[in-house]
Amino acid sequence: MSLHEHTTLAGRSVRSRVVFGPHETNLAVGRTLSDRHRAYYQRRAEGGAGIIVAETASVLDNDWPYERAPLATLCGPGWRAISAACVPHGALVLAGLGHTGMQGSSAYSQSVLWGPSRVADPVTRELPMMMEQGDIDRVVEGFRASAALAVDSGMAGVEIDAGPRSILRQFLSGLTNTRADRYGTDRLTLLREVLQTVRGAVGANHVVSLRLSCDEQAPWAGVTPELTVGYVSELERYLDLLIVVRGGLYSTAGYRPDFHEEPNFNRELCRIVKATVSIPVALQGSVVDIADAHEALAHVDYVEMTRAQIADPDLVVKSARGDQPRPCVLCNQTCLVRDPRNPVVTCVGNPSAGFETVDPDERRQELISGPVLVVGGGPAGLEAARIMAGRGAAVTVSERSSRFGGMIRTFAQGKGRSRFAVLAQWLEDECRRSGVTMLTEHTISSSEIDDARGHGDVVVASGSVPRLPTYPVDTSVLWMDPVQALELGGDSIEGPVVLVDPLGGPMAVALAEMLAECGLDVSIVTPDTIVGSRLGMSGDLVGANTRLQQVGVNRVCSSRVRAVVDGVVQIENVYTDVVAHIRCATVIDCSPRLPDTSLHYSGCAGVGDTIAPRTVLESIHEGRRAGFTTGTGFNSVERIDS
């Protein structure tokens, strides 16, 4: 089988075997699907997605799991617009339907959570009410009515969510269902009733898909692969497609983990389930590489590549013509958006994802001519060069080091993080393919910038420099910043090591793991009450602290550094001012670096760390903006440093 092969489901044509699965986007207006939803899905349909499942909509208004969660009764116009936009490109579009039950939120609904039994969600600790027959009937009717509305609104069918956060999975699981009635003695009863009534509502000529958690990773009481085999054998009569996923009450992060989990992790689970059913089965689980997807089709019928298509909406058509899609690095930093900030879904490597109605379309840009000099070959500079070369400019990138990629290339060391190097290499390769002149070990002076400015446009992406310590440090220890530490490597650093982490981000955690795995005695000092506090937004907070504990890293929380004297780091508790001491040979301070001010420039586009400490997302976004607007009256960041 081929990813690009046409298939059919319920008699309906499917352009390819690639699925763009349902996920939170925060693109809703209120609880309705917006025009930004339409543009977001249309872009993936244009890029070759075979099946697109719209963001899961709550089937009852008492289910409001996050602020911008769609509500099915309000989604008719949005579903109609999405279908009209995607179907002409060959995509089969399904409406995602669900209810999160006891794993939802009462913050927005201001009503009690529903659950099969009185079991609290371990995340919110909120105890739900135990549903009575009337409540269960409402859920079944909610799925029926929502499915009927979806197909009446032009959708090709529906996907029913029985995944890690679903009330339907909660009824299947012994972790959450301890009932003594028929919904407890036969835990499949509710899901069976929902699928039966949905099939009756949509008919045989519309698709019914089921997203089913086939392993809750809690074998003492949860759904296991062995139980799933029995479930799907009975349920397949109602289904046209089964999406095999994992995760549950205690393992929601297992559904969409970051790069610390090996890709394609559900392949064996999918193989077990596929062997028991005759209907098509789709593999989900960090499938982001085309070669892996092709290989998976030896065992399954469809491959879900959601994050890969957020990273590059043209993934399918590019792979068909032999081009390399923009890679997904599996970082979860900006595509995992269920948090109080309500960020719009996007991608660190493709900041236009989610902003299709806001950002220019690089496929349809005004041509420019004349030379452009890009100073710095990090992610911001390379993205600017790539876009401008695509617009016809003669672009030169000048990089003072021996390699391109900047900070993401430096960070790409260690297990999993090598995916960042793939992104850096893709940017470099695309620049070369577009005819950009690439110079390494080439230092530009301010006078050369002035000269280049006189003949064309200049984008300055010169990066950052280490920040000096804000506390006294004597010569008894070696002090460095994380970039210097990564360039040295763990084998060249003397221990004990103290990592200072005021940010709570991934850098200090990654360094601590790397150094501890090299056999060094490592401590990490943070002012927060937990190490890696900001990793909760990418789903890695628990995982990071588990890994640090496993490799023996000493975690010192609620503390700040006062001084480094006589081979000792003096720290004080941020709440009590109690002073403690940690002996060390090396201090690595993971504070933000500072902009490189060695170049004087005016009237040039300044992007990335040249402006202020930037994330990968911000750097590439600013590079894109400079690429789109240079030569058309770019509103530059002007700076003259004395």
Side-chain angles (χ1 to χ4, degrees):
M1 289 190 289
S2 166
L3 279 181
H4 315 106
E5 182 181 357
H6 282 65
T7 60
T8 59
L9 283 177
R12 294 171 177 266
S13 177
V14 183
R15 176 181 178 177
S16 72
R17 293 185 181 273
V18 178
V19 179
F20 189 59
H23 54 283
E24 295 89 347
T25 67
N26 281 330
L27 294 173
V29 175
R31 301 200 69 184
T32 64
L33 298 170
S34 70
D35 189 55
R36 292 183 70 172
H37 275 108
R38 188 271 313 158
Y40 182 66
Y41 296 123
Q42 179 179 338
R43 187 68 186 83
R44 275 75 202 166
E46 292 171 355
I51 300 173
I52 293 175
V53 186
E55 183 168 1
T56 302
S58 298
V59 298
L60 293 177
D61 59 7
N62 71 341
D63 180 47
W64 198 336
Y66 51 102
E67 186 173 357
R68 298 179 186 175
L71 177 61
T73 55
L74 303 178
C75 285
W79 283 332
R80 189 170 299 281
I82 291 167
S83 177
C86 295
V87 169
H89 301 286
L92 184 144
V93 191
L94 306 179
L97 300 177
H99 192 299
T100 55
M102 56 165 287
Q103 289 174 266
S105 170
S106 60
Y108 307 110
S109 66
Q110 295 292 292
S111 62
V112 66
L113 296 181
W114 283 6
S117 303
R118 296 188 186 278
V119 177
D121 180 5
V123 176
T124 66
R125 315 294 171 88
E126 187 170 350
L127 194 67
M129 61 165 272
M130 180 174 173
M131 296 169 65
E132 298 181 354
Q133 185 63 53
D135 307 316
I136 295 173
D137 293 343
R138 281 190 62 195
V139 168
V140 175
E141 171 59 18
F143 276 101
R144 187 209 63 79
S146 299
L149 176 61
V151 297
D152 287 346
S153 301
M155 302 300 265
V158 297
E159 181 176 285
I160 304 303
D161 180 23
R165 295 179 185 270
S166 168
I167 198 171
L168 300 179
R169 195 220 74 261
Q170 292 158 24
F171 268 82
L172 283 178
S173 174
L175 295 171
T176 44
N177 184 349
T178 60
R179 303 172 70 98
D181 62 4
R182 64 191 181 97
Y183 292 98
T185 55
D186 178 5
R187 296 192 182 108
L188 191 60
T189 301
L190 177 58
L191 181 54
R192 184 191 301 113
E193 290 179 353
V194 166
L195 292 178
Q196 185 175 26
T197 191
V198 166
R199 174 54 77 191
V202 304
N205 62 339
H206 288 92
V207 176
V208 177
S209 173
L210 175 65
R211 180 168 300 263
L212 179 64
S213 180
C214 300
D215 184 359
E216 286 192 282
Q217 300 178 293
W220 61 90
V223 175
T224 63
E226 293 74 22
L227 286 172
T228 298
V229 166
Y231 292 160
V232 296
S233 297
E234 182 173 345
L235 296 176
E236 68 170 309
R237 74 187 74 173
Y238 307 113
L239 301 174
D240 301 293
L241 179 65
L242 177 66
I243 315 292
V244 173
V245 305
R246 73 177 189 188
L249 191 68
Y250 299 109
S251 56
T252 52
Y255 174 61
R256 238 182 80 175
D258 69 4
F259 54 77
H260 292 96
E261 178 80 44
E262 289 294 325
N264 317 303
F265 53 80
N266 275 332
R267 284 187 61 173
E268 178 60 20
L269 178 61
C270 212
R271 186 193 63 77
I272 293 171
V273 174
K274 172 67 176 172
T276 66
V277 296
S278 59
I279 59 173
V281 171
L283 168 67
Q284 180 273 347
S286 296
V287 186
V288 293
D289 294 325
I290 291 296
D292 289 342
H294 276 292
E295 185 179 343
L297 287 177
H299 309 286
V300 298
D301 304 280
Y302 296 92
V303 181
E304 184 167 304
M305 303 184 74
T306 303
R307 281 180 286 182
Q309 291 175 95
I310 299 174
D312 195 329
D314 293 318
L315 176 134
V316 181
V317 295
K318 281 184 177 180
S319 65
R321 62 177 185 242
D323 292 343
Q324 183 64 41
R326 185 187 292 253
C328 168
V329 299
L330 290 173
C331 67
N332 276 354
Q333 291 177 5
T334 57
C335 60
L336 202 65
V337 297
R338 189 183 286 196
D339 72 54
R341 302 169 304 152
N342 284 335
V344 168
V345 67
T346 191
C347 173
V348 298
N350 176 25
S352 290
F355 292 83
E356 287 78 10
T357 62
V358 179
D359 282 4
D361 188 334
E362 67 179 86
R363 301 170 298 174
R364 304 178 182 89
Q365 283 301 297
E366 175 187 348
L367 294 178
I368 59 176
S369 60
V372 178
L373 172 64
V374 178
V375 183
L382 292 176
E383 180 71 355
R386 186 186 73 83
I387 295 292
M388 289 184 290
R391 296 176 61 203
V395 183
T396 298
V397 176
S398 173
E399 168 59 39
R400 61 189 166 197
S401 73
S402 60
R403 65 183 184 183
F404 295 101
M407 289 290 289
I408 56 173
R409 182 81 75 174
T410 300
F411 180 70
Q413 300 181 42
K415 182 180 178 181
R417 297 192 300 277
S418 60
R419 299 198 64 86
F420 284 88
V422 177
L423 175 58
Q425 190 63 51
W426 183 88
L427 289 167
E428 179 181 345
D429 291 346
E430 287 296 296
C431 285
R432 293 188 188 280
R433 187 181 66 82
S434 301
V436 175
T437 300
M438 311 285 282
L439 305 175
T440 55
E441 298 182 318
H442 190 268
T443 302
I444 293 287
S445 67
S446 296
S447 61
E448 288 176 292
I449 290 180
D450 291 338
D451 182 63
R453 183 70 174 134
H455 296 87
D457 289 290
V458 177
V459 175
V460 178
S462 53
S464 61
V465 295
R467 174 195 294 265
L468 294 176
T470 57
Y471 41 83
V473 179
D474 69 11
T475 58
S476 62
V477 302
L478 179 62
W479 184 96
M480 63 182 72
D481 86 336
V483 173
Q484 295 165 316
L486 286 167
E487 289 173 344
L488 273 176
D491 293 335
S492 301
I493 293 175
E494 183 180 353
V497 179
V498 172
L499 283 152
V500 182
D501 182 23
L503 298 179
M507 180 65 81
V509 169
L511 268 171
E513 287 184 76
M514 182 187 80
L515 296 174
E517 288 169 353
C518 290
L520 296 175
D521 181 356
V522 180
S523 297
I524 185 168
V525 179
T526 175
D528 298 322
T529 55
I530 190 170
V531 169
S533 59
R534 296 187 64 80
L535 296 179
M537 292 182 288
S538 63
D540 190 41
L541 179 60
V542 174
N545 278 271
T546 300
R547 295 192 304 274
L548 291 176
Q549 184 172 7
Q550 288 172 339
V551 295
V553 172
N554 178 34
R555 292 166 291 163
V556 183
C557 300
S558 304
S559 299
R560 54 177 169 247
V561 176
R562 292 181 58 181
V564 181
V565 181
D566 295 332
V568 169
V569 177
Q570 298 177 0
I571 62 171
E572 66 179 7
N573 187 281
V574 297
Y575 300 112
T576 65
D577 294 334
V578 171
V579 176
H581 301 85
I582 306 174
R583 185 161 296 280
C584 69
T586 305
V587 172
I588 304 173
D589 194 323
C590 296
S591 297
R593 286 163 65 93
L594 297 175
D596 180 0
T597 60
S598 61
L599 295 175
H600 301 186
Y601 60 92
S602 176
C604 302
V607 296
D609 288 344
T610 302
I611 304 173
R614 315 307 279 152
T615 63
V616 178
L617 169 75
E618 292 161 340
S619 294
I620 294 181
H621 173 68
E622 288 165 5
R624 284 178 73 79
R625 184 177 61 184
F628 287 138
T629 54
T630 294
T632 58
F634 177 61
N635 183 21
S636 64
V637 177
E638 297 189 9
R639 187 187 73 199
I640 302 176
D641 295 305
S642 57

